[in-house]
């Protein structure tokens, strides 16, 4: 969807939540819709993005696109061992 395209959405919210949006809108001299759009955008950038990344990771695992943990740990041990060996040669 293009940034300037709009879709009508209807939802039921607790009146206390709507009141909070209205208070923020009044303080900022904006309308409630603007405040709600900002709130939803922040959700999507944070928790929503994390959920989408998790879902993508699960999809990759389902497709068999993974690496065995033991292989990763062995490679890490090899790198650490090599670094320790080089450090030991310089000191001694």
């Amino acid at each position: 969807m293009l940034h300037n395209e709009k879709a009508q959405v209807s939802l039921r919210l607790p009146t206390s939540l709507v009141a909070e949006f209205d208070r923020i809108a009044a303080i900022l001299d904006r309308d409630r819709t603007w405040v709600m759009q900002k709130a939803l955008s922040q959700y999507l950038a944070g928790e929503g993005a994390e959920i989408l990344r998790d879902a993508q990771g699960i999809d990759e695992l389902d497709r068999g696109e993974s690496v065995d943990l033991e292989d990763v740990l062995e490679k890490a041990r090899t790198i650490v061992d090599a670094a320790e060996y080089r450090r030991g040669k310089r000191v001694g």
Side-chain angles (χ1 to χ4, degrees), residues 45-63:
E47 187 176 341
E50 184 178 335
I51 291 168
L52 292 174
R53 282 191 304 272
D54 290 348
Q56 180 181 357
I58 290 168
D59 288 345
E60 290 170 358
L61 289 173
D62 288 346
R63 291 190 304 266

Side-chain angles (χ1 to χ4, degrees), residues 3-83:
H3 185 62
N4 59 352
E5 290 184 36
K6 305 286 181 182
Q8 182 70 35
V9 176
S10 175
L11 52 122
R12 295 182 186 276
L13 299 171
T15 55
S16 60
L17 185 59
V18 175
E20 292 296 313
F21 280 114
D22 287 341
R23 286 181 56 211
I24 294 167
I27 291 167
L28 297 175
D29 195 26
R30 296 285 191 156
D31 61 30
R32 180 194 306 157
T33 299
W34 184 89
V35 176
M36 290 179 155
Q37 285 175 346
K38 295 295 264 186
L40 289 169
S41 293
Q42 287 184 355
Y43 171 82
L44 289 174
E47 187 176 341
E50 184 178 335
I51 291 168
L52 292 174
R53 282 191 304 272
D54 290 348
Q56 180 181 357
I58 290 168
D59 288 345
E60 290 170 358
L61 289 173
D62 288 346
R63 291 190 304 266
E65 299 171 4
S66 63
V67 178
D68 184 50
L69 177 60
E70 285 304 317
D71 292 342
V72 173
L73 292 175
E74 182 58 36
K75 185 171 184 173
R77 284 186 207 104
T78 301
I79 293 168
V80 169
D81 290 346

